[in-house]
Amino acid sequence: MEPHNHSSLTEFVLLGFPSVGHVRGWLFVLLLLAYLFTIGGNTLIFLVIRLDPALHKPMYHFVSVLSFLELWYTATTIPKMLANLLSEKKTISFAGCLLQTYFFHSLGASECYLLTAMAYDRYLAICRPLHYPAIMTSTLCAKMAAGCWTCGFLCPISEVILVSRLPFCDYNAIQHIFCDFPPLLSLACKDTSTNVLVDFAVNAFIILVTFLFIMVSYGRIIGAVLKIKTAAGRKKAFSTCASHLIVVLIFFGSIIFMYVRLKKSYSLTLDRTLAVVYSVLTPLANPIIYSLRNKELIKAIKRTIFRKGEKACPTHH
């Protein structure tokens, strides 16, 4: 095949889920319902935390930022997935593909940093309770959240620039459900070992360092909790961390296997499955995990809904 310079390649074809066949309609409905639930659940959590003064605490501040982030994280990929399930023409422009890859990785990196900040918050609250109010001020919370977003959006720039300079071949079909670095590299018409090495270095730094920091924080948290003499005290301490730890394990478990590797791909089916986990299921699970396991948040949701209901239906005397 004669290589084409990337400037002459105007679009890619996203193959998405090529073998779904007659269940394509059902897959569209399931994905649409998952997306609507993700939007509804994360929007509800974000608004309730912002509107209820009882939840104006550092822990809930970070949860609201995470919910807000998930709205944009899913918006970068799922609408295009839904459109491709209905359309015969599954194309995306060259620039659009690079933008989707950039924003998906920027928001993913921001989530890694944010989950780390949340682990640090729980560590301070449980291991240094007397100093916690003085350290974790609203100003520090805002700075940490802003830092997570800023670092996240800076991280993938080098990878995107390197990919944008690659020459691509005649075959422009991306074997994935959305644009991403590994499937893009497999279409290049030159040696991509430098790109793979840079991707590995950037992803290993972001994912492994943040995951290690989170695990160290939880190691210290568990040590501190086990020293609590009463069973009720231990249960209360663990309950504030359990939701966050579940989210961390689901999210990091899938992205470590997908991105911290020196191969472009292990298996197309496995890559698509992992992509569904961290791009669809994790954002879907977050509202469920945080609301079902948090009595304070459930009470706040009920208060907010009933308060709105009372305003909408005023009593007449």
Side-chain angles (χ1 to χ4, degrees):
M1 284 191 295
E2 289 294 319
H4 283 262
N5 187 274
H6 74 271
S7 60
S8 65
L9 185 66
T10 58
E11 63 182 21
F12 291 104
V13 177
L14 278 168
L15 294 182
F17 305 95
S19 58
V20 293
H22 63 282
V23 298
R24 188 179 302 275
W26 289 107
L27 185 59
F28 173 84
V29 171
L30 285 173
L31 188 58
L32 178 62
L33 289 174
Y35 187 45
L36 292 175
F37 186 89
T38 300
I39 293 173
N42 283 298
T43 302
L44 178 64
I45 288 175
F46 175 77
L47 291 176
V48 166
I49 291 172
R50 292 295 168 182
L51 293 172
D52 196 315
L55 298 182
H56 290 176
K57 302 172 185 176
M59 182 177 77
Y60 293 111
H61 167 76
F62 289 121
V63 170
S64 73
V65 174
L66 179 64
S67 292
F68 182 72
L69 188 150
E70 295 290 25
L71 293 173
W72 296 104
Y73 181 70
T74 51
T76 60
T77 56
I78 298 181
K80 185 62 179 174
M81 285 188 224
L82 289 167
N84 285 348
L85 283 170
L86 293 180
S87 174
E88 291 300 320
K89 188 182 178 184
K90 308 176 191 301
T91 56
I92 184 170
S93 68
F94 182 85
C97 190
L98 288 182
L99 281 172
Q100 185 183 59
T101 305
Y102 170 72
F103 281 111
F104 184 72
H105 278 262
S106 296
L107 292 162
S110 299
E111 182 161 346
C112 288
Y113 292 127
L114 186 59
L115 290 171
T116 308
M118 293 169 78
Y120 179 64
D121 170 70
R122 290 299 83 209
Y123 160 73
L124 286 178
I126 292 171
C127 298
R128 300 183 65 187
L130 298 178
H131 300 95
Y132 178 68
I135 298 173
M136 194 57 72
T137 61
S138 57
T139 304
L140 181 61
C141 286
K143 287 180 179 179
M144 287 176 70
C148 291
W149 285 83
T150 303
C151 292
F153 274 75
L154 289 174
C155 285
I157 291 175
S158 59
E159 295 169 277
V160 171
I161 291 172
L162 285 172
V163 170
S164 70
R165 293 178 176 176
L166 288 173
F168 290 93
C169 303
D170 290 327
Y171 186 71
N172 66 340
I174 294 175
Q175 303 276 349
H176 204 44
I177 56 177
F178 51 79
C179 288
D180 202 358
F181 291 123
L184 276 173
L185 294 182
S186 66
L187 299 180
C189 285
K190 63 172 284 190
D191 178 49
T192 58
S193 55
T194 301
N195 298 73
V196 172
L197 192 60
V198 170
D199 287 356
F200 175 79
V202 171
N203 293 329
F205 175 78
I206 297 169
I207 298 169
L208 295 183
V209 170
T210 54
F211 186 64
L212 179 64
F213 191 95
I214 292 169
M215 289 299 102
V216 169
S217 297
Y218 272 100
R220 294 189 173 187
I221 288 169
I222 290 168
V225 170
L226 292 176
K227 291 177 183 177
I228 298 174
K229 294 179 180 179
T230 63
R234 287 195 296 270
K235 185 179 179 182
K236 184 180 179 182
F238 270 127
S239 67
T240 62
C241 305
S243 301
H244 179 246
L245 192 56
I246 292 169
V247 171
V248 164
L249 293 175
I250 295 172
F251 182 68
F252 278 92
S254 55
I255 63 171
I256 285 173
F257 199 79
M258 181 70 183
Y259 294 112
V260 186
R261 64 191 188 190
L262 286 168
K263 292 176 68 177
K264 295 175 190 175
S265 177
Y266 290 121
S267 153
L268 294 176
T269 303
L270 180 61
D271 285 356
R272 288 190 181 102
T273 304
L274 289 171
V276 169
V277 172
Y278 59 76
S279 68
V280 180
L281 296 184
T282 304
L284 173 67
N286 282 357
I288 301 170
I289 292 168
Y290 279 112
S291 60
L292 289 181
R293 294 193 60 86
N294 194 306
K295 291 179 182 179
E296 194 173 7
L297 187 54
I298 291 173
K299 288 177 183 177
I301 290 171
K302 289 177 180 178
R303 279 198 304 270
T304 304
I305 292 171
F306 289 141
R307 194 184 306 139
K308 295 293 181 185
E310 287 170 5
K311 288 180 180 179
C313 305
T315 55
H316 296 282
H317 296 288

